[in-house]
Amino acid sequence: MKITSYKLSGVLLILLTTILMSCKDDETLQGSGITKQEWSEGQTYTILAGKEKTVAFTTKASWIAQSSSSTLVSLNKNSGGAGQNTLIIRAHNSSDKEAIITIRVSGYSTQSSFKVKIKINEEDKDREINYLVDDYLKRMYLWNEEYKTLTPDFTLAYDKFVKQTLVSMRTNNLDKKVHQESDGQIRYSLYSYIRKLDPDLQSDTRAGKDKIEKEKEYSYGFVGLQPVQELSSSKGFFVIQGVHPGSSADQAGLKRGMEIHKVGGESISIEEWEDIYISLIAGDSRSTQQVTDKDGKVYNINSGPIEVNPVIYSHVKNIHSHRIGYLVYSKFDAGFDQELFDVFKKFKKENITDLILDLRYNGGGHVISAQLISSCIAGSTYEGKVFSSYRYNEERMKAIGNKKRTDPFLYSTYENLNTSLAEGAMNLSKVYCLVSGQTASASELVINSLRGIDIEVILIGGQTNGKNVGMEGTEFTTKAGTYEFFPITFQSYNAKDFGDYENGFDPDHIINENNPRGKQFEGYKEFGAEDEPLYAKAIGLITGKPSKMDRSTRAEIEQPKLILQVPEIRQIGMIK
């Protein structure tokens, strides 16, 4: 028995020793296991975008490294063995502002880390916004599959980066438009656009807003100007197509049809008219200007900034037993939805029987304002039916089960005004639209959506622009400023699933307001005048009576005049 007891004690001692030795082998060593590192724990280091930083260190065992932002920095390797090591960190640019680099040595209890921030070279200040634009296009652009195969030049200026990169693509033919010049040259234009915002002006994007507010912009108040050349001289002039209510041009007494023959006291030469035109139409700062009409009267105007009211003109008239409502609307600006809805409430209150909607100078805007107009025209019968549906890129469509998202015709509640549309709902079966090549985007969306529920839309004027795609905009703020980016992200369809109107809608009745009788330029009549060509045609179609234009003959023209093609400087939008 005694011998057996000794043997048992020995076995127990061996087992205890083995367990203790095993525990010692599994014990995690204290510290990081790193020595001679070329960084201080928790320190932040700045690297120029596109440049590298190399750090050396020694480890007591194998190690692994990782970055908290693979889009901001990349590492030349993620692991290594014991001994002397180097790690190369390359800086990129992304929406991330900083990355944390961590290194952990096998068997040691703590990791070592330091931060990396990116600095933009002043010479390459556009790189930061270009990287952000690139990331957004990869996720949101309607043709992102091809876009992701490109190798963009991030050194370009931000506006050139957008244009040159997207124009280089093949599949984005609904965004990239081809134009053939009179000299046979081919040029391209894009609907997608980017602009740097003036810090004194608010953004036009809907991001983060429950209700879209009025925004300010620099504008003298011209809806449009038509440049005209007198063929007998090298001089030209601008004919005013309309003015925004309450603008400086309006307050000065300038009106549709008036001619501007001098700007800043100087005559308008054919060699310089484009620059003068741009300065009057697309203001980019606070400025004052002096314009002179054909009779020598001088008008002093300023560019604000102002809230540009797109509800240009409206009236209700009794003509041959018809109560006809007429609205001139220049932009689908949801900040002015109340002013727009007030017009439709007036139409409803005065029991109009027919509607003429003048969209000839309307390049589009917010989709919800198009819903407002269309829903008021259609009325309660169509509440909840498909106003429009939207196709996105393949990745986004897959995420929503490849089923188009839809917007309905509204009636009970219009969220942007937090009201019912009952006071403006007219339940019309037909509408007359005055259109031109400037009629685009949300304007065409109204036409297509109403036709989708079999409301008859009679088009009078010229072929529309053909923009059947829209934008979901965003804002980016960098060290260089704040930018507004609106790339094409969706295509729109009506309730009949028709959305292929990229060549525009053909007018039912062709009239060119610049030469309505097919001869020469005759100037412009006031909106709603009996002899204004497009309006007069609509009145004739409604009443079945010959219009004043049908009965009259062309006035004699004192001098032959040439209509000049205006440059494309205003963005065309269908914005969600």
Side-chain angles (χ1 to χ4, degrees):
M1 290 293 295
K2 196 170 185 179
I3 295 174
T4 302
S5 178
Y6 285 145
K7 287 182 178 180
L8 180 59
S9 298
V11 171
L12 292 172
L13 181 60
I14 292 170
L15 287 172
L16 181 60
T17 301
T18 301
I19 292 170
L20 290 172
M21 290 182 67
S22 297
C23 290
K24 186 174 182 181
D25 288 341
D26 291 341
E27 182 180 353
T28 301
L29 301 173
Q30 297 299 308
S32 67
I34 302 174
T35 60
K36 300 180 181 178
Q37 74 260 31
E38 293 183 343
W39 67 84
S40 298
E41 204 68 29
Q43 185 69 37
T44 299
Y45 298 89
T46 301
I47 310 176
L48 287 174
K51 301 298 183 180
E52 296 176 345
K53 178 179 178 63
T54 301
V55 293
F57 58 101
T58 301
T59 65
K60 296 179 180 179
S62 60
W63 55 274
I64 58 173
Q66 63 182 17
S67 165
S68 64
S69 173
S70 59
T71 60
L72 190 68
V73 297
S74 57
L75 309 177
N76 68 317
K77 55 185 176 181
N78 298 104
S79 62
Q84 295 181 346
N85 290 277
T86 58
L87 185 65
I88 301 174
I89 305 162
R90 183 168 182 81
H92 308 294
N93 209 327
S94 77
S95 55
D96 294 337
K97 299 302 181 185
E98 67 178 24
I100 300 175
I101 309 299
T102 57
I103 301 175
R104 180 180 289 278
V105 177
S106 178
Y108 284 81
S109 61
T110 60
Q111 63 186 18
S112 183
S113 66
F114 57 95
K115 294 181 181 179
V116 171
K117 284 189 175 181
I118 305 305
K119 181 179 179 181
I120 306 298
N121 247 331
E122 191 60 30
E123 296 176 355
D124 297 328
K125 61 183 179 181
D126 284 325
R127 283 180 183 262
E128 186 175 7
I129 181 61
N130 290 346
Y131 280 112
L132 296 171
V133 165
D134 175 68
D135 178 66
Y136 195 74
L137 287 168
K138 285 177 178 176
R139 292 183 290 109
M140 300 292 287
Y141 197 45
L142 187 55
W143 303 272
N144 71 329
E145 289 298 319
E146 182 191 355
Y147 180 82
K148 287 188 289 187
T149 68
L150 304 180
T151 305
D153 182 358
F154 292 101
T155 66
L156 293 171
Y158 68 91
D159 49 350
K160 289 183 179 179
F161 174 81
V162 170
K163 184 166 186 177
Q164 291 188 23
T165 305
L166 298 187
V167 164
S168 73
M169 295 175 61
R170 296 174 293 101
T171 58
N172 60 340
N173 59 320
L174 298 183
D175 185 13
K176 181 178 71 174
K177 293 288 186 175
V178 181
H179 307 271
Q180 185 154 357
E181 303 287 0
S182 57
D183 59 2
Q185 295 294 314
I186 298 294
R187 67 178 179 85
Y188 298 95
S189 64
L190 285 171
Y191 291 131
S192 295
Y193 70 90
I194 186 171
R195 64 181 179 182
K196 189 174 183 180
L197 297 178
D198 188 299
D200 294 333
L201 302 178
Q202 292 179 318
S203 163
D204 190 29
T205 180
R206 294 183 57 190
K209 296 180 180 178
D210 295 327
K211 181 180 184 297
I212 300 178
E213 304 293 340
K214 292 181 174 68
E215 307 284 351
K216 288 188 176 181
E217 61 183 84
Y218 298 116
S219 173
Y220 293 107
F222 297 114
V223 173
L225 297 171
Q226 177 59 60
V228 179
Q229 179 183 355
E230 296 175 348
L231 293 181
S232 60
S233 72
S234 61
K235 302 298 181 183
F237 58 90
F238 299 123
V239 185
I240 299 172
Q241 293 175 319
V243 295
H244 294 280
S247 66
S248 181
D250 179 39
Q251 293 173 1
L254 293 166
K255 299 181 182 300
R256 172 175 167 82
M258 294 177 63
E259 297 176 4
I260 295 174
H261 283 253
K262 290 183 179 180
V263 177
E266 301 291 331
S267 297
I268 301 168
S269 70
I270 296 305
E271 292 77 18
E272 299 176 343
W273 77 264
E274 284 197 26
D275 291 337
I276 300 171
Y277 172 87
I278 291 171
S279 71
L280 292 176
I281 288 290
D284 59 4
S285 62
R286 290 180 173 87
S287 58
T288 59
Q289 190 57 270
Q290 187 183 80
V291 298
T292 307
D293 68 15
K294 66 178 180 179
D295 297 321
K297 184 177 179 180
V298 175
Y299 303 81
N300 293 302
I301 55 177
N302 67 77
S303 64
I306 63 169
E307 296 168 347
V308 180
N309 187 351
V311 181
I312 305 301
Y313 175 82
S314 68
H315 73 217
V316 175
K317 287 186 177 180
N318 288 316
I319 305 176
H320 297 300
S321 73
H322 290 262
R323 288 190 64 75
I324 302 171
Y326 175 54
L327 168 64
V328 184
Y329 187 54
S330 68
K331 181 184 179 181
F332 288 77
D333 184 344
F336 282 87
D337 273 356
Q338 186 60 61
E339 287 80 354
L340 177 62
F341 187 45
D342 286 344
V343 174
F344 281 94
K345 287 194 293 185
K346 176 184 176 182
F347 289 163
K348 177 71 176 287
K349 185 177 181 180
E350 298 198 27
N351 298 310
I352 70 167
T353 57
D354 305 272
L355 173 65
I356 302 172
L357 183 59
D358 195 335
L359 301 174
R360 74 182 95 176
Y361 306 122
N362 194 314
H366 292 118
V367 168
I368 58 169
S369 298
Q371 276 181 279
L372 170 59
I373 285 181
S374 301
S375 298
C376 284
I377 291 171
S380 59
T381 303
Y382 296 96
E383 181 178 16
K385 295 189 182 299
V386 173
F387 161 73
S388 185
S389 62
Y390 311 100
R391 173 182 68 87
Y392 305 98
N393 64 43
E394 291 184 11
E395 290 176 359
R396 296 178 70 192
M397 290 302 294
K398 185 177 180 180
I400 58 175
N402 289 314
K403 185 176 180 181
K404 296 187 185 80
R405 283 186 172 149
T406 62
D407 281 335
F409 281 91
L410 305 170
Y411 185 77
S412 300
T413 303
Y414 181 69
E415 291 186 0
N416 194 46
L417 297 179
N418 192 29
T419 188
S420 164
L421 297 182
E423 289 184 274
M426 296 180 296
N427 302 299
L428 296 175
S429 60
K430 182 185 295 186
V431 61
Y432 298 82
C433 283
L434 312 186
V435 296
S436 72
Q438 297 179 55
T439 305
S441 198
S443 290
E444 293 171 299
L445 179 64
V446 168
I447 296 167
N448 196 46
S449 296
L450 291 176
R451 286 178 170 176
I453 56 171
D454 292 322
I455 289 179
E456 188 177 2
V457 183
I458 307 298
L459 302 183
I460 302 167
Q463 186 179 43
T464 65
N465 181 274
K467 185 174 183 291
N468 58 349
V469 286
M471 301 104 149
E472 294 158 288
T474 188
E475 280 187 10
F476 296 119
T477 299
T478 71
K479 296 180 180 70
T482 298
Y483 302 80
E484 186 177 69
F485 182 40
F486 281 91
I488 297 300
T489 61
F490 64 86
Q491 182 177 353
S492 67
Y493 299 80
N494 65 16
K496 296 179 179 179
D497 206 32
F498 176 74
D500 299 325
Y501 52 93
E502 59 270 23
N503 294 320
F505 291 111
D506 292 326
D508 299 283
H509 303 274
I510 300 173
I511 301 176
N512 183 342
E513 70 171 349
N514 289 330
N515 55 354
R517 289 171 243 257
K519 298 293 182 179
Q520 299 180 47
F521 182 66
E522 300 178 35
Y524 301 128
K525 303 296 183 180
E526 285 280 9
F527 290 122
E530 290 184 5
D531 55 350
E532 200 288 312
L534 277 67
Y535 175 80
K537 183 64 178 180
I539 295 297
L541 291 171
I542 291 170
T543 63
K545 307 288 185 181
S547 70
K548 187 173 181 179
M549 287 296 296
D550 295 328
R551 297 192 302 268
S552 61
T553 58
R554 184 177 67 84
E556 290 299 321
I557 306 301
E558 294 179 1
Q559 293 184 28
K561 297 178 176 64
L562 176 66
I563 298 297
L564 301 176
Q565 184 66 38
V566 300
E568 295 178 6
I569 57 175
R570 282 180 167 167
Q571 286 82 30
I572 297 174
M574 185 196 299
I575 300 169
K576 284 186 68 67

